[in-house]
Amino acid sequence: MLEKDIEKVIVSNEDINKIAKRLGTQLAEEYRDQFPLVVGLLKGCVPFMGTLIQNMDIPMEIDFMDVSSYHGGIESSGDIKINKDLDAQVKGRDIIIAEDIVDTGRTIKVVMDLLKYRGAKSVSVVTLLDKPAGRIVEIDPEYIGVTIPKEFVVGYGLDYDEQYRNLPYVGVLKPKVYNKE
Ligand code: PRP
């Protein structure tokens, strides 16, 4: 039903599972003795973080923050707001931020700065998608699933107007969907 609005698939479900396995295995090796705190940025992180952590066979904690930057449109506004903060204490912790996409880099920059300010021992970023062509703030995620061109994508956590997050793959939306208003 949702597929009719998708022009093309960019990252298939099979590809995503391979990415989660590759990055999850790497993170598990590197954070084996660190008891990391994996921080998901809601809501887009949910599908990828869920798949990723199942591939990390080490002791860890998870927690979530809700930080908004898009406000229902397709352009990043740069206006960032913390809607839900972490429950966990971050002082002295090794933190892995899990994201669906790094675009302008603004969201990640704000969250990284905040966690460092709160005394995190280390902060790294794992993202399913990296869109370097959209970058406004200098941020280089340490763990990248796949680099994508400057196209508006939805699925596997990524939304258009809060929809399509539940697609099991990442795809490009047909322009008629966002031109119809
Ligand atoms: C999206 C996405 C990232 C951020 C990336 O979140 O999940 O967190 O934008 O964009 P940036 O690099 O330009 O900051 P959004 O604020 O739309 O919230 P959502 O996760 O609830 O969709």
Side-chain angles (χ1 to χ4, degrees):
M1 189 172 181
L2 296 175
E3 207 171 317
K4 69 176 189 339
D5 294 340
I6 302 301
E7 194 157 272
K8 62 179 173 191
V9 175
I10 295 253
V11 195
S12 70
N13 185 262
E14 196 187 346
D15 289 342
I16 295 169
N17 286 331
K18 281 186 194 154
I19 288 166
K21 190 165 186 180
R22 168 172 64 81
L23 294 178
T25 306
Q26 185 183 355
L27 284 164
E29 277 166 18
E30 293 178 18
Y31 285 83
R32 178 181 304 273
D33 304 313
Q34 269 137 287
F35 191 51
L37 176 64
V38 181
V39 171
L41 301 187
L42 295 169
K43 305 167 190 156
C45 72
V46 169
F48 179 59
M49 181 168 160
T51 312
L52 179 78
I53 60 174
Q54 291 176 66
N55 285 281
M56 293 174 67
D57 184 22
I58 57 168
M60 67 161 69
E61 280 181 354
I62 65 168
D63 202 350
F64 297 92
M65 282 182 92
D66 182 4
V67 182
S68 312
S69 67
Y70 278 17
H71 307 296
I74 63 166
E75 295 282 328
S76 179
S77 66
D79 176 13
I80 287 170
K81 195 172 116 208
I82 296 180
N83 305 312
K84 185 220 173 284
D85 209 337
L86 295 173
D87 296 320
Q89 295 293 319
V90 305
K91 197 169 167 46
R93 298 296 300 269
D94 290 299
I95 296 179
I96 303 166
I97 303 174
E99 264 288 31
D100 51 347
I101 186 167
V102 178
D103 186 356
T104 66
R106 284 183 174 127
T107 309
I108 278 294
K109 171 84 171 104
V110 162
V111 174
M112 285 184 91
D113 287 352
L114 180 68
L115 297 178
K116 284 178 192 161
Y117 174 78
R118 289 180 180 172
K121 189 170 154 208
S122 70
V123 184
S124 67
V125 176
V126 57
T127 185
L128 172 61
L129 307 175
D130 186 23
K131 199 198 268 186
R135 209 68 103 243
I136 288 172
V137 175
E138 207 176 306
I139 284 290
D140 289 311
E142 288 80 359
Y143 307 91
I144 295 168
V146 59
T147 300
I148 60 162
K150 202 174 168 125
E151 266 178 311
F152 187 71
V153 290
V154 295
Y156 222 79
L158 291 128
D159 72 305
Y160 170 64
D161 223 356
E162 296 299 329
Q163 292 186 62
Y164 304 101
R165 294 188 198 273
N166 52 322
L167 280 174
Y169 52 81
V170 176
V172 177
L173 204 55
K174 287 182 180 163
K176 68 167 192 200
V177 177
Y178 50 83
N179 285 336
K180 72 181 172 208
E181 287 141 38

